[in-house]
PDB file of all heavy atoms in Angstrom:
ATOM      1  N   VAL T 100      11.028  32.521  -8.955  1.00  0.00           N
ATOM      2  CA  VAL T 100      12.334  32.287  -8.353  1.00  0.00           C
ATOM      3  C   VAL T 100      12.292  32.860  -6.937  1.00  0.00           C
ATOM      4  O   VAL T 100      11.964  34.038  -6.762  1.00  0.00           O
ATOM      5  CB  VAL T 100      13.463  32.960  -9.158  1.00  0.00           C
ATOM      6  CG1 VAL T 100      14.816  32.708  -8.498  1.00  0.00           C
ATOM      7  CG2 VAL T 100      13.472  32.458 -10.599  1.00  0.00           C
ATOM      8  N   PRO T 101      12.597  32.076  -5.925  1.00  0.00           N
ATOM      9  CA  PRO T 101      12.489  32.574  -4.545  1.00  0.00           C
ATOM     10  C   PRO T 101      13.574  33.592  -4.223  1.00  0.00           C
ATOM     11  O   PRO T 101      14.694  33.514  -4.735  1.00  0.00           O
ATOM     12  CB  PRO T 101      12.657  31.309  -3.703  1.00  0.00           C
ATOM     13  CG  PRO T 101      13.484  30.402  -4.551  1.00  0.00           C
ATOM     14  CD  PRO T 101      13.049  30.673  -5.971  1.00  0.00           C
ATOM     15  N   ASN T 102      13.225  34.547  -3.371  1.00  0.00           N
ATOM     16  CA  ASN T 102      14.222  35.498  -2.899  1.00  0.00           C
ATOM     17  C   ASN T 102      14.338  35.492  -1.380  1.00  0.00           C
ATOM     18  O   ASN T 102      15.048  36.330  -0.806  1.00  0.00           O
ATOM     19  CB  ASN T 102      13.897  36.919  -3.383  1.00  0.00           C
ATOM     20  CG  ASN T 102      12.533  37.392  -2.951  1.00  0.00           C
ATOM     21  OD1 ASN T 102      11.547  37.151  -3.658  1.00  0.00           O
ATOM     22  ND2 ASN T 102      12.437  38.047  -1.796  1.00  0.00           N
ATOM     23  N   ILE T 103      13.656  34.547  -0.741  1.00  0.00           N
ATOM     24  CA  ILE T 103      13.775  34.408   0.711  1.00  0.00           C
ATOM     25  C   ILE T 103      13.607  32.936   1.043  1.00  0.00           C
ATOM     26  O   ILE T 103      12.814  32.228   0.411  1.00  0.00           O
ATOM     27  CB  ILE T 103      12.717  35.260   1.448  1.00  0.00           C
ATOM     28  CG1 ILE T 103      12.932  35.204   2.954  1.00  0.00           C
ATOM     29  CG2 ILE T 103      11.295  34.842   1.060  1.00  0.00           C
ATOM     30  CD1 ILE T 103      12.105  36.201   3.730  1.00  0.00           C
ATOM     31  N   HIS T 104      14.386  32.453   2.008  1.00  0.00           N
ATOM     32  CA  HIS T 104      14.277  31.054   2.442  1.00  0.00           C
ATOM     33  C   HIS T 104      14.208  31.029   3.970  1.00  0.00           C
ATOM     34  O   HIS T 104      14.979  31.723   4.644  1.00  0.00           O
ATOM     35  CB  HIS T 104      15.493  30.239   1.997  1.00  0.00           C
ATOM     36  CG  HIS T 104      15.623  30.133   0.508  1.00  0.00           C
ATOM     37  ND1 HIS T 104      14.867  29.267  -0.246  1.00  0.00           N
ATOM     38  CD2 HIS T 104      16.418  30.782  -0.369  1.00  0.00           C
ATOM     39  CE1 HIS T 104      15.192  29.382  -1.521  1.00  0.00           C
ATOM     40  NE2 HIS T 104      16.135  30.306  -1.625  1.00  0.00           N
ATOM     41  N   PRO T 105      13.317  30.232   4.537  1.00  0.00           N
ATOM     42  CA  PRO T 105      13.228  30.156   5.999  1.00  0.00           C
ATOM     43  C   PRO T 105      14.433  29.429   6.586  1.00  0.00           C
ATOM     44  O   PRO T 105      15.043  28.575   5.936  1.00  0.00           O
ATOM     45  CB  PRO T 105      11.944  29.344   6.217  1.00  0.00           C
ATOM     46  CG  PRO T 105      11.804  28.515   4.991  1.00  0.00           C
ATOM     47  CD  PRO T 105      12.352  29.341   3.862  1.00  0.00           C
ATOM     48  N   ASP T 106      14.765  29.753   7.837  1.00  0.00           N
ATOM     49  CA  ASP T 106      15.854  29.046   8.503  1.00  0.00           C
ATOM     50  C   ASP T 106      15.339  27.827   9.265  1.00  0.00           C
ATOM     51  O   ASP T 106      16.116  27.104   9.889  1.00  0.00           O
ATOM     52  CB  ASP T 106      16.610  29.983   9.457  1.00  0.00           C
ATOM     53  CG  ASP T 106      15.765  30.447  10.632  1.00  0.00           C
ATOM     54  OD1 ASP T 106      14.527  30.286  10.576  1.00  0.00           O
ATOM     55  OD2 ASP T 106      16.336  30.968  11.604  1.00  0.00           O
ATOM     56  N   ARG T 107      14.033  27.593   9.213  1.00  0.00           N
ATOM     57  CA  ARG T 107      13.421  26.422   9.825  1.00  0.00           C
ATOM     58  C   ARG T 107      12.052  26.233   9.180  1.00  0.00           C
ATOM     59  O   ARG T 107      11.609  27.068   8.396  1.00  0.00           O
ATOM     60  CB  ARG T 107      13.286  26.605  11.343  1.00  0.00           C
ATOM     61  CG  ARG T 107      12.328  27.713  11.736  1.00  0.00           C
ATOM     62  CD  ARG T 107      12.403  28.045  13.221  1.00  0.00           C
ATOM     63  NE  ARG T 107      11.270  28.844  13.632  1.00  0.00           N
ATOM     64  CZ  ARG T 107      11.124  30.145  13.379  1.00  0.00           C
ATOM     65  NH1 ARG T 107      12.070  30.793  12.708  1.00  0.00           N
ATOM     66  NH2 ARG T 107      10.057  30.800  13.792  1.00  0.00           N
ATOM     67  N   ARG T 108      11.381  25.125   9.501  1.00  0.00           N
ATOM     68  CA  ARG T 108      10.103  24.832   8.861  1.00  0.00           C
ATOM     69  C   ARG T 108       9.016  24.504   9.888  1.00  0.00           C
ATOM     70  O   ARG T 108       7.973  23.953   9.540  1.00  0.00           O
ATOM     71  CB  ARG T 108      10.283  23.681   7.868  1.00  0.00           C
ATOM     72  CG  ARG T 108      11.221  24.054   6.721  1.00  0.00           C
ATOM     73  CD  ARG T 108      11.597  22.860   5.867  1.00  0.00           C
ATOM     74  NE  ARG T 108      10.477  22.323   5.117  1.00  0.00           N
ATOM     75  CZ  ARG T 108       9.978  22.858   4.003  1.00  0.00           C
ATOM     76  NH1 ARG T 108      10.509  23.969   3.506  1.00  0.00           N
ATOM     77  NH2 ARG T 108       8.980  22.285   3.381  1.00  0.00           N
ATOM     78  N   ASP T 109       9.247  24.848  11.141  1.00  0.00           N
ATOM     79  CA  ASP T 109       8.286  24.543  12.211  1.00  0.00           C
ATOM     80  C   ASP T 109       7.470  25.778  12.584  1.00  0.00           C
ATOM     81  O   ASP T 109       7.299  26.112  13.745  1.00  0.00           O
ATOM     82  CB  ASP T 109       9.018  24.003  13.440  1.00  0.00           C
ATOM     83  CG  ASP T 109      10.060  24.976  13.978  1.00  0.00           C
ATOM     84  OD1 ASP T 109      10.421  25.927  13.250  1.00  0.00           O
ATOM     85  OD2 ASP T 109      10.512  24.780  15.121  1.00  0.00           O
ATOM     86  N   PHE T 110       6.922  26.467  11.576  1.00  0.00           N
ATOM     87  CA  PHE T 110       6.154  27.684  11.816  1.00  0.00           C
ATOM     88  C   PHE T 110       4.895  27.633  10.969  1.00  0.00           C
ATOM     89  O   PHE T 110       4.688  26.711  10.183  1.00  0.00           O
ATOM     90  CB  PHE T 110       6.981  28.928  11.477  1.00  0.00           C
ATOM     91  CG  PHE T 110       7.704  28.807  10.158  1.00  0.00           C
ATOM     92  CD1 PHE T 110       7.030  28.891   8.948  1.00  0.00           C
ATOM     93  CD2 PHE T 110       9.074  28.584  10.132  1.00  0.00           C
ATOM     94  CE1 PHE T 110       7.688  28.769   7.749  1.00  0.00           C
ATOM     95  CE2 PHE T 110       9.739  28.453   8.922  1.00  0.00           C
ATOM     96  CZ  PHE T 110       9.046  28.542   7.730  1.00  0.00           C
ATOM     97  N   SER T 111       4.053  28.646  11.098  1.00  0.00           N
ATOM     98  CA  SER T 111       2.823  28.665  10.315  1.00  0.00           C
ATOM     99  C   SER T 111       3.139  28.821   8.829  1.00  0.00           C
ATOM    100  O   SER T 111       4.147  29.412   8.446  1.00  0.00           O
ATOM    101  CB  SER T 111       1.918  29.815  10.778  1.00  0.00           C
ATOM    102  OG  SER T 111       2.567  31.061  10.594  1.00  0.00           O
ATOM    103  N   TYR T 112       2.267  28.292   8.013  1.00  0.00           N
ATOM    104  CA  TYR T 112       2.477  28.270   6.565  1.00  0.00           C
ATOM    105  C   TYR T 112       2.197  29.650   5.975  1.00  0.00           C
ATOM    106  O   TYR T 112       1.148  30.244   6.231  1.00  0.00           O
ATOM    107  CB  TYR T 112       1.541  27.236   5.957  1.00  0.00           C
ATOM    108  CG  TYR T 112       1.740  26.975   4.483  1.00  0.00           C
ATOM    109  CD1 TYR T 112       2.920  26.418   4.011  1.00  0.00           C
ATOM    110  CD2 TYR T 112       0.730  27.260   3.568  1.00  0.00           C
ATOM    111  CE1 TYR T 112       3.088  26.147   2.662  1.00  0.00           C
ATOM    112  CE2 TYR T 112       0.883  26.996   2.215  1.00  0.00           C
ATOM    113  CZ  TYR T 112       2.066  26.442   1.770  1.00  0.00           C
ATOM    114  OH  TYR T 112       2.231  26.175   0.429  1.00  0.00           O
ATOM    115  N   PRO T 113       3.107  30.212   5.156  1.00  0.00           N
ATOM    116  CA  PRO T 113       2.887  31.549   4.589  1.00  0.00           C
ATOM    117  C   PRO T 113       1.719  31.544   3.600  1.00  0.00           C
ATOM    118  O   PRO T 113       1.469  30.554   2.912  1.00  0.00           O
ATOM    119  CB  PRO T 113       4.204  31.877   3.892  1.00  0.00           C
ATOM    120  CG  PRO T 113       4.835  30.558   3.626  1.00  0.00           C
ATOM    121  CD  PRO T 113       4.397  29.647   4.729  1.00  0.00           C
ATOM    122  N   THR T 114       1.026  32.652   3.518  1.00  0.00           N
ATOM    123  CA  THR T 114      -0.095  32.760   2.572  1.00  0.00           C
ATOM    124  C   THR T 114       0.310  33.459   1.280  1.00  0.00           C
ATOM    125  O   THR T 114      -0.356  33.281   0.254  1.00  0.00           O
ATOM    126  CB  THR T 114      -1.270  33.522   3.199  1.00  0.00           C
ATOM    127  OG1 THR T 114      -0.820  34.816   3.609  1.00  0.00           O
ATOM    128  CG2 THR T 114      -1.812  32.776   4.411  1.00  0.00           C
ATOM    129  N   SER T 115       1.377  34.239   1.273  1.00  0.00           N
ATOM    130  CA  SER T 115       1.769  34.988   0.080  1.00  0.00           C
ATOM    131  C   SER T 115       2.512  34.082  -0.898  1.00  0.00           C
ATOM    132  O   SER T 115       3.164  33.098  -0.517  1.00  0.00           O
ATOM    133  CB  SER T 115       2.671  36.165   0.461  1.00  0.00           C
ATOM    134  OG  SER T 115       3.983  35.716   0.764  1.00  0.00           O
ATOM    135  N   ALA T 116       2.448  34.428  -2.178  1.00  0.00           N
ATOM    136  CA  ALA T 116       3.159  33.673  -3.205  1.00  0.00           C
ATOM    137  C   ALA T 116       4.669  33.724  -2.969  1.00  0.00           C
ATOM    138  O   ALA T 116       5.369  32.721  -3.147  1.00  0.00           O
ATOM    139  CB  ALA T 116       2.813  34.237  -4.584  1.00  0.00           C
ATOM    140  N   VAL T 117       5.170  34.884  -2.568  1.00  0.00           N
ATOM    141  CA  VAL T 117       6.610  35.025  -2.324  1.00  0.00           C
ATOM    142  C   VAL T 117       7.039  34.144  -1.163  1.00  0.00           C
ATOM    143  O   VAL T 117       8.056  33.443  -1.232  1.00  0.00           O
ATOM    144  CB  VAL T 117       6.964  36.499  -2.063  1.00  0.00           C
ATOM    145  CG1 VAL T 117       8.423  36.638  -1.638  1.00  0.00           C
ATOM    146  CG2 VAL T 117       6.696  37.337  -3.306  1.00  0.00           C
ATOM    147  N   GLY T 118       6.259  34.144  -0.091  1.00  0.00           N
ATOM    148  CA  GLY T 118       6.588  33.318   1.062  1.00  0.00           C
ATOM    149  C   GLY T 118       6.522  31.837   0.740  1.00  0.00           C
ATOM    150  O   GLY T 118       7.386  31.046   1.150  1.00  0.00           O
ATOM    151  N   GLN T 119       5.514  31.423  -0.005  1.00  0.00           N
ATOM    152  CA  GLN T 119       5.390  30.017  -0.359  1.00  0.00           C
ATOM    153  C   GLN T 119       6.502  29.577  -1.307  1.00  0.00           C
ATOM    154  O   GLN T 119       6.985  28.443  -1.221  1.00  0.00           O
ATOM    155  CB  GLN T 119       4.019  29.753  -0.962  1.00  0.00           C
ATOM    156  CG  GLN T 119       2.898  29.818   0.063  1.00  0.00           C
ATOM    157  CD  GLN T 119       1.544  29.542  -0.546  1.00  0.00           C
ATOM    158  OE1 GLN T 119       1.426  29.105  -1.688  1.00  0.00           O
ATOM    159  NE2 GLN T 119       0.485  29.814   0.228  1.00  0.00           N
ATOM    160  N   ALA T 120       6.923  30.453  -2.210  1.00  0.00           N
ATOM    161  CA  ALA T 120       8.045  30.114  -3.083  1.00  0.00           C
ATOM    162  C   ALA T 120       9.301  29.834  -2.262  1.00  0.00           C
ATOM    163  O   ALA T 120      10.026  28.861  -2.515  1.00  0.00           O
ATOM    164  CB  ALA T 120       8.300  31.230  -4.090  1.00  0.00           C
ATOM    165  N   GLY T 121       9.560  30.670  -1.276  1.00  0.00           N
ATOM    166  CA  GLY T 121      10.704  30.437  -0.406  1.00  0.00           C
ATOM    167  C   GLY T 121      10.579  29.165   0.399  1.00  0.00           C
ATOM    168  O   GLY T 121      11.556  28.447   0.620  1.00  0.00           O
ATOM    169  N   TYR T 122       9.357  28.854   0.818  1.00  0.00           N
ATOM    170  CA  TYR T 122       9.103  27.662   1.630  1.00  0.00           C
ATOM    171  C   TYR T 122       9.267  26.383   0.819  1.00  0.00           C
ATOM    172  O   TYR T 122       9.791  25.378   1.320  1.00  0.00           O
ATOM    173  CB  TYR T 122       7.691  27.737   2.212  1.00  0.00           C
ATOM    174  CG  TYR T 122       7.353  26.638   3.177  1.00  0.00           C
ATOM    175  CD1 TYR T 122       7.629  26.768   4.542  1.00  0.00           C
ATOM    176  CD2 TYR T 122       6.745  25.467   2.743  1.00  0.00           C
ATOM    177  CE1 TYR T 122       7.314  25.758   5.440  1.00  0.00           C
ATOM    178  CE2 TYR T 122       6.427  24.451   3.636  1.00  0.00           C
ATOM    179  CZ  TYR T 122       6.723  24.598   4.970  1.00  0.00           C
ATOM    180  OH  TYR T 122       6.411  23.592   5.861  1.00  0.00           O
ATOM    181  N   HIS T 123       8.831  26.401  -0.443  1.00  0.00           N
ATOM    182  CA  HIS T 123       8.775  25.176  -1.245  1.00  0.00           C
ATOM    183  C   HIS T 123       9.893  25.036  -2.275  1.00  0.00           C
ATOM    184  O   HIS T 123       9.913  24.054  -3.018  1.00  0.00           O
ATOM    185  CB  HIS T 123       7.438  25.109  -1.991  1.00  0.00           C
ATOM    186  CG  HIS T 123       6.266  24.782  -1.128  1.00  0.00           C
ATOM    187  ND1 HIS T 123       6.189  23.633  -0.367  1.00  0.00           N
ATOM    188  CD2 HIS T 123       5.110  25.457  -0.920  1.00  0.00           C
ATOM    189  CE1 HIS T 123       5.024  23.608   0.275  1.00  0.00           C
ATOM    190  NE2 HIS T 123       4.359  24.700  -0.039  1.00  0.00           N
ATOM    191  N   MET T 124      10.818  26.000  -2.349  1.00  0.00           N
ATOM    192  CA  MET T 124      11.897  25.933  -3.339  1.00  0.00           C
ATOM    193  C   MET T 124      13.230  26.090  -2.620  1.00  0.00           C
ATOM    194  O   MET T 124      13.515  27.141  -2.043  1.00  0.00           O
ATOM    195  CB  MET T 124      11.697  27.008  -4.409  1.00  0.00           C
ATOM    196  CG  MET T 124      10.356  26.874  -5.137  1.00  0.00           C
ATOM    197  SD  MET T 124       9.941  28.275  -6.223  1.00  0.00           S
ATOM    198  CE  MET T 124      11.013  27.935  -7.629  1.00  0.00           C
ATOM    199  N   ALA T 125      14.031  25.035  -2.647  1.00  0.00           N
ATOM    200  CA  ALA T 125      15.251  25.001  -1.849  1.00  0.00           C
ATOM    201  C   ALA T 125      16.328  25.926  -2.376  1.00  0.00           C
ATOM    202  O   ALA T 125      17.200  26.363  -1.628  1.00  0.00           O
ATOM    203  CB  ALA T 125      15.795  23.573  -1.791  1.00  0.00           C
ATOM    204  N   ASP T 126      16.302  26.225  -3.685  1.00  0.00           N
ATOM    205  CA  ASP T 126      17.366  27.009  -4.282  1.00  0.00           C
ATOM    206  C   ASP T 126      16.816  27.745  -5.499  1.00  0.00           C
ATOM    207  O   ASP T 126      15.606  27.730  -5.745  1.00  0.00           O
ATOM    208  CB  ASP T 126      18.567  26.118  -4.645  1.00  0.00           C
ATOM    209  CG  ASP T 126      18.182  24.919  -5.509  1.00  0.00           C
ATOM    210  OD1 ASP T 126      17.383  25.097  -6.453  1.00  0.00           O
ATOM    211  OD2 ASP T 126      18.658  23.800  -5.245  1.00  0.00           O
ATOM    212  N   THR T 127      17.695  28.365  -6.264  1.00  0.00           N
ATOM    213  CA  THR T 127      17.276  29.142  -7.434  1.00  0.00           C
ATOM    214  C   THR T 127      17.467  28.374  -8.738  1.00  0.00           C
ATOM    215  O   THR T 127      17.439  28.963  -9.816  1.00  0.00           O
ATOM    216  CB  THR T 127      18.072  30.459  -7.492  1.00  0.00           C
ATOM    217  OG1 THR T 127      19.473  30.147  -7.585  1.00  0.00           O
ATOM    218  CG2 THR T 127      17.827  31.300  -6.246  1.00  0.00           C
ATOM    219  N   ALA T 128      17.654  27.053  -8.646  1.00  0.00           N
ATOM    220  CA  ALA T 128      17.907  26.239  -9.830  1.00  0.00           C
ATOM    221  C   ALA T 128      16.653  25.555 -10.364  1.00  0.00           C
ATOM    222  O   ALA T 128      16.752  24.694 -11.228  1.00  0.00           O
ATOM    223  CB  ALA T 128      18.965  25.183  -9.517  1.00  0.00           C
ATOM    224  N   CYS T 129      15.482  25.939  -9.841  1.00  0.00           N
ATOM    225  CA  CYS T 129      14.247  25.283 -10.281  1.00  0.00           C
ATOM    226  C   CYS T 129      13.172  26.326 -10.583  1.00  0.00           C
ATOM    227  O   CYS T 129      12.085  26.287  -9.995  1.00  0.00           O
ATOM    228  CB  CYS T 129      13.763  24.283  -9.238  1.00  0.00           C
ATOM    229  SG  CYS T 129      13.814  24.894  -7.539  1.00  0.00           S
TER     230      CYS T 129
END
Side-chain angles (χ1 to χ4, degrees):
V100 180
N102 57 272
I103 185 169
H104 296 282
D106 66 345
R107 65 190 194 284
R108 296 170 67 78
D109 58 345
F110 46 73
S111 61
Y112 187 65
T114 58
S115 76
V117 173
Q119 289 181 11
Y122 186 88
H123 286 302
M124 301 170 76
D126 53 43
T127 60
C129 45

